[in-house]
Amino acid sequence: MKKQSRGFQRSDRVAEQVRRDLADLIRTELKDPRVGMISLTAVELTPDYAHAKVFFTTLNSDHLADIERGLKRASGFLRRELGRRIHIHTLPELHFVYDNSLERGSSLSQLIDQANALSDQTPDE
C-alpha cells in the first residue's frame, strides 16, 4: 500500500533550515575573503543527517577553486555555528558542491533563442 504524501517531510524542512542558517552564517560571520558573493541553492541531507551536500553558485566563477577551498576550510566553523542554531540529534558534515545549473540554463536559453532566430530567417515552404 502506497503511503500518502503530506507535503514537506521533516528532512525537507531540516534541509531548508540548514540552507537558510548557512546562508546567514556565510553572509554575516565568515571572514574568509575567498568566499565572496555566493548563493546557496539547495541542501541535500542523507537520511541519517550525517552528511549534507550544500549546493552553491557564484557570479564570479573565475575564482571557483579559491571559493571551494575557502568553503572547505570554513566547514568546521560553519558546522559548529550551525549546531548552535539548530538542535538536531546528528549535526551533518558539510560538503560544498558547485551548482552549475544556472549557467547551464542560461546557455540552453541562448541556444533556443538562436534556433528561433534561424527559423524566423528561413523562408517557409
Side-chain angles (χ1 to χ4, degrees):
M1 182 153 165
K2 193 173 182 180
K3 197 175 193 180
Q4 288 287 71
S5 177
R6 293 182 288 155
F8 286 110
Q9 295 180 350
R10 181 176 190 269
S11 61
D12 296 334
R13 292 190 305 267
V14 171
E16 180 58 24
Q17 186 64 44
V18 167
R19 189 195 65 77
R20 279 195 307 260
D21 286 345
L22 279 176
D24 187 50
L25 284 168
I26 290 170
R27 184 175 46 84
T28 60
E29 302 291 326
L30 197 59
K31 305 294 185 219
D32 193 331
R34 295 176 290 190
V35 182
M37 295 294 292
I38 67 167
S39 295
L40 301 184
T41 56
V43 172
E44 289 180 2
L45 289 170
T46 57
D48 61 355
Y49 297 162
H51 298 276
K53 272 189 191 177
V54 182
F55 294 93
F56 71 94
T57 187
T58 180
L59 295 174
N60 193 2
S61 59
D62 299 336
H63 301 289
L64 184 60
D66 289 335
I67 293 170
E68 287 176 333
R69 278 195 299 276
L71 287 170
K72 185 172 183 174
R73 181 157 171 92
S75 66
F77 166 76
L78 292 170
R79 185 178 184 204
R80 183 182 71 235
E81 293 300 315
L82 188 63
R84 292 180 179 170
R85 292 179 177 212
I86 297 176
H87 301 287
I88 55 178
H89 181 61
T90 303
L91 198 60
E93 185 177 330
L94 304 174
H95 306 280
F96 290 94
V97 179
Y98 179 65
D99 183 4
N100 65 352
S101 63
L102 294 176
E103 291 173 0
R104 185 162 163 74
S106 176
S107 66
L108 287 174
S109 179
Q110 288 176 350
L111 287 174
I112 291 170
D113 291 343
Q114 289 173 1
N116 285 337
L118 285 174
S119 69
D120 290 344
Q121 291 176 357
T122 58
D124 290 335
E125 294 184 301

